[in-house]
Amino acid sequence: MLATLVPLFFEDMSVASYCLYAQKENMFEHPHLLGAGKYDGAGSIVGIEVFDSISESDLIDNCSIIIPINNISLFSNIEQQLTRFHGRIMLLLDQSIKPEESYSKRILDLKGKGFKLAIKDLPLNNVEDYKTLLKDFDLFLINSDTGDVVEQAKAFKKVLPNIDFCAENLHSKEEFDAAKESGLFKIFEGTFFRIPINTQDTEVTPIKINYMKLMSVINQPDFDLEDVANVIGQDPALSIELLKIANKLTLNSNIRSIQQATALLGQREIRRWLNTTLFNGLAAGKPNEITRLSLIRARFAENLALVFDYAMRKDELFLMGLFSLLNLILDMPMEEALTQVGVSNEIKKALVSGDGIFAPQLDFLLSYEAGDWQEVSRLMVLHDIHMHAVYDSYVEALKWYGNMFIER
């Protein structure tokens, strides 16, 4: 199985929802599933196991959890399968749902049990037939790949004046800006998120300059732990976090100094901890999803090191994932952003020009994250990667991210 959570945003770039994208099998290895076989086991909601790896606190407070449902699983025991995130689940249907009495009764039943409702892929020439059915729906997704989303929204609004619209599959900031300025959409989704949203403030505050200097030091092949300890000692927040971690590693919990704590952790753990901690400091003031996404990418990339035969370079892959959105955080081109921190040339090649030995891993991460299962399946076949290894790596990354914020 493959599964990922794709964020949808409000116009201020805060997270509105997470949508589950999932696929049961590698379609390149099992082409029969492209036909009628794709409905095998359709009564079960594919991918919900991924939620066993996260808690409600791992996701943005009060955001919706969008779960795709087909015309078969609609009549399954949805209530028993979706017992978590009460009041936050939004069922996403498509045009396989018909404006017929059996569907209407089931939809009203689910609505009465606290589920929200959304629909996508509904052609404009059919919407009039669905008008009565859709009166209880909360969200209507309009795909930019089927035409100008603003023009589509204007037409749909005439028939469905009381439903919220989502502009889906936006591919550029220009598309996002046009959809936002129209005032017709409440929620937005697409690869526009990978493009810097604001470019007004390119000045880095003094604390962030110190953070970047420290990151540059610790990402050198060898560095002096005492130098690092001296810088950490000037930042109360970093000192507190360092001592918390160091105390976890000693039975006596008797750390006497910052220098002792850094020595206890050693270069490797100090490098790992500071890269993630300082990164959070750099990302302060940006949409929380940037930090979440970067950290999950970092761990996912590290976990995939073995399947891509780069087990000895997993630390570099971690950094590649961690810094893959650094251009958004610093509001500057990626090449310029990477000069602010010390990373290897291979990381730079992958993030700046999309080539080098780490480029295939980066392509894989981005395809998986976007739920592009056709491309993910192709890459798994190309690199002889087993689906379960990929899924397990992603799930572990989610768990790791959640555990980072558990009070110790």
Side-chain angles (χ1 to χ4, degrees):
M1 181 177 64
L2 302 172
T4 188
L5 298 176
V6 175
L8 285 69
F9 300 92
F10 293 119
E11 64 176 39
D12 65 355
M13 291 304 297
S14 61
V15 175
S17 309
Y18 290 97
C19 185
L20 174 66
Y21 282 46
Q23 179 174 288
K24 291 185 296 184
E25 301 286 350
N26 186 335
M27 298 301 182
F28 280 79
E29 292 182 341
H30 305 282
H32 68 282
L33 291 173
L34 293 171
K38 67 183 178 181
Y39 292 111
D40 293 347
S44 299
I45 301 172
V46 178
I48 60 171
E49 295 87 348
V50 77
F51 292 107
D52 294 336
S53 307
I54 59 178
S55 67
E56 294 206 27
S57 61
D58 293 341
L59 304 179
I60 301 299
D61 291 343
N62 301 317
C63 70
S64 297
I65 312 297
I66 300 177
I67 309 290
I69 300 292
N70 59 41
N71 60 330
I72 298 175
S73 58
L74 176 68
F75 294 98
S76 69
N77 58 342
I78 290 176
E79 299 89 334
Q80 285 71 46
Q81 294 182 69
L82 299 174
T83 57
R84 299 181 61 207
F85 303 98
H86 182 71
R88 296 173 64 181
I89 299 292
M90 180 178 289
L91 304 177
L92 177 59
L93 291 71
D94 58 26
Q95 61 180 321
S96 67
I97 309 298
K98 304 302 180 185
E100 300 170 357
E101 183 179 1
S102 59
Y103 290 107
S104 297
K105 291 177 67 174
R106 178 56 172 157
I107 286 169
L108 281 174
D109 176 47
L110 291 169
K111 185 75 173 181
K113 292 176 178 176
F115 291 100
K116 300 174 184 177
L117 301 169
I119 194 164
K120 66 172 185 175
D121 299 335
L122 189 63
L124 180 60
N125 57 4
N126 287 358
V127 72
E128 192 69 45
D129 297 334
Y130 282 80
K131 187 174 181 179
T132 301
L133 180 70
L134 295 180
K135 65 181 176 61
D136 295 305
F137 278 61
D138 302 278
L139 189 65
F140 190 105
L141 279 67
I142 300 177
N143 194 331
S144 74
D145 291 342
T146 60
D148 184 287
V149 290
V150 174
E151 294 305 315
Q152 291 186 74
K154 289 177 180 177
F156 281 119
K157 196 72 174 176
K158 293 177 181 177
V159 184
L160 305 168
N162 299 317
I163 195 169
D164 288 329
F165 289 153
C166 170
E168 183 187 23
N169 282 334
L170 300 176
H171 300 297
S172 70
K173 186 175 182 297
E174 289 71 27
E175 282 186 299
F176 168 62
D177 287 341
K180 182 172 68 171
E181 290 167 9
S182 74
L184 294 168
F185 298 95
K186 183 176 181 179
I187 298 175
F188 308 83
E189 185 276 328
T191 53
F192 73 93
F193 177 62
R194 308 195 210 289
I195 301 170
I197 298 305
N198 74 72
T199 56
Q200 297 175 358
D201 182 15
T202 57
E203 293 298 318
V204 183
T205 61
I207 187 71
K208 290 187 177 181
I209 290 174
N210 290 332
Y211 278 11
M212 289 188 291
K213 286 179 179 177
L214 191 51
M215 290 174 84
S216 182
V217 170
I218 63 175
N219 286 316
Q220 299 305 311
D222 194 19
F223 61 89
D224 192 320
L225 283 171
E226 187 172 349
D227 291 341
V228 173
N230 289 336
V231 177
I232 292 174
Q234 298 171 14
D235 188 306
L238 286 179
S239 299
I240 291 168
E241 290 305 312
L242 172 65
L243 292 176
K244 281 183 180 179
I245 294 172
N247 278 316
K248 278 188 60 186
L249 300 179
T250 176
L251 294 176
N252 296 324
S253 297
N254 193 26
I255 304 297
R256 290 186 170 86
S257 68
I258 298 297
Q259 286 75 11
Q260 183 185 358
T262 55
L264 179 64
L265 266 66
Q267 281 189 341
R268 178 169 178 165
E269 288 305 315
I270 282 288
R271 179 184 288 122
R272 170 64 60 83
W273 166 67
L274 278 176
N275 270 320
T276 54
T277 301
L278 297 176
F279 187 87
N280 276 322
L282 287 174
K286 298 293 178 181
N288 290 339
E289 185 62 17
I290 289 183
T291 302
R292 175 185 177 276
L293 184 55
S294 298
L295 290 169
I296 291 175
R297 276 187 189 177
R299 186 66 170 190
F300 191 26
E302 179 185 40
N303 290 344
L304 289 174
L306 182 62
V307 300
F308 277 96
D309 295 324
Y310 281 116
M312 299 300 292
R313 304 187 72 168
K314 63 180 183 179
D315 290 341
E316 284 182 86
L317 288 171
F318 181 92
L319 281 184
M320 181 187 73
L322 184 67
F323 292 152
S324 60
L325 292 169
L326 191 63
N327 57 324
L328 298 187
I329 290 168
L330 298 182
D331 291 322
M332 59 180 64
M334 180 62 80
E335 186 171 13
E336 184 180 348
L338 289 176
T339 64
Q340 308 292 323
V341 296
V343 295
S344 69
N345 286 332
E346 292 302 338
I347 293 175
K348 290 179 182 177
K349 287 179 184 178
L351 294 178
V352 174
S353 55
D355 58 20
I357 61 174
F358 293 154
Q361 290 90 322
L362 182 60
D363 290 342
F364 189 89
L365 285 175
L366 298 181
S367 295
Y368 191 97
E369 179 185 290
D372 185 353
W373 301 136
Q374 183 172 354
E375 179 63 8
V376 169
S377 297
R378 185 187 72 82
L379 292 172
M380 286 193 299
V381 171
L382 181 64
H383 295 283
D384 192 25
I385 298 172
H386 295 293
M387 178 181 285
H388 70 83
V390 175
Y391 179 73
D392 290 347
S393 295
Y394 178 70
V395 166
E396 196 282 335
L398 293 179
K399 291 180 178 177
W400 174 83
Y401 173 81
N403 289 336
M404 286 183 67
F405 303 100
I406 295 176
E407 288 295 326
R408 294 176 173 89

